[in-house]
Amino acid sequence: MANRYALRMDLPQSWTIIDVFTGQPAVVRQKVLVGMSPREAEDLVVQMNVGDVRRRERAERKG
C-alpha cells in the first residue's frame, strides 16, 4: 500500500507534509502542516502514514 503522506523541504530546516493523493499540504485539526522542523515533520509523517494504512485496511474489511 502506498504512503499517503510525504515530506517536502521548503527551506533548509523547514518542511511541509504533503498529501500525495491531492498534492496539497496536509491539514490536521485545522492546522496546515508547513514550516515544521525536520524532526517534528519526520515523526509526524510516520504517524500519519501508519494511521492512514489502518483506516484503509478497516475500510477494505468493511467492503
Side-chain angles (χ1 to χ4, degrees), residues 7-8 11-17 31 33-44:
L7 297 176
R8 179 184 73 199
L11 298 169
Q13 304 302 311
S14 179
W15 292 82
T16 294
I17 297 178
K31 180 181 177 192
L33 302 178
V34 299
M36 302 173 72
S37 71
R39 177 67 180 201
E40 179 184 25
E42 289 171 1
D43 290 346
L44 190 52

Side-chain angles (χ1 to χ4, degrees), residues 12-62:
Q13 304 302 311
S14 179
W15 292 82
T16 294
I17 297 178
I18 297 295
D19 181 331
V20 298
F21 294 171
T22 67
Q24 299 296 312
V27 178
V28 173
R29 295 187 182 130
Q30 299 179 348
K31 180 181 177 192
V32 181
L33 302 178
V34 299
M36 302 173 72
S37 71
R39 177 67 180 201
E40 179 184 25
E42 289 171 1
D43 290 346
L44 190 52
V45 79
V46 168
Q47 292 174 26
M48 291 173 69
N49 280 319
V50 167
D52 182 61
V53 166
R54 288 180 181 155
R55 279 189 300 276
R56 288 194 274 164
E57 286 172 348
R58 280 193 306 266
E60 287 176 7
R61 283 194 300 264
K62 290 181 181 179

